[in-house]
Amino acid sequence: MITKDSIETAYSFLHQKQRIYVHSTLDWQKDDIEMAIAAYADDMSQELFEAISGGRADFLHDHKQFQEDITKAVEILENML
């Protein structure tokens, strides 16, 4: 069961990091955000991860897809609120 609290927590964290990520010009800062989000995704409820990932195991873990993935995750979580 996905709780409202887990959705709100994930949304707040991902939204904050996404806003910084899209405006950052520092590669090291973007790398740090990617690592933090990947670790967060590894620890989040499996059910919630599946709901936002569309079944992709590398969701929020693939450097080349990261900006698209985090944007999609924030949109999905916002709609779940």
Side-chain angles (χ1 to χ4, degrees), residues 14-32:
L14 294 177
H15 183 262
Q16 176 194 42
K17 298 301 182 195
Q18 185 241 5
R19 300 303 303 154
I20 296 167
Y21 188 89
V22 299
H23 295 290
S24 179
T25 59
L26 306 170
D27 289 338
W28 65 265
Q29 185 177 43
K30 287 184 170 190
D31 290 343
D32 285 354

Side-chain angles (χ1 to χ4, degrees), residues 31-44:
D31 290 343
D32 285 354
I33 291 170
E34 288 181 31
M35 288 187 292
I37 296 297
Y40 185 83
D42 289 341
D43 291 338
M44 77 170 35

Side-chain angles (χ1 to χ4, degrees), residues 6 14 29 35 46 48 52 60 66 69 72 78 80-81:
S6 67
L14 294 177
Q29 185 177 43
M35 288 187 292
Q46 186 65 31
L48 181 56
I52 65 172
L60 297 172
F66 185 79
D69 286 352
K72 180 179 177 182
E78 186 173 14
M80 294 173 78
L81 291 175

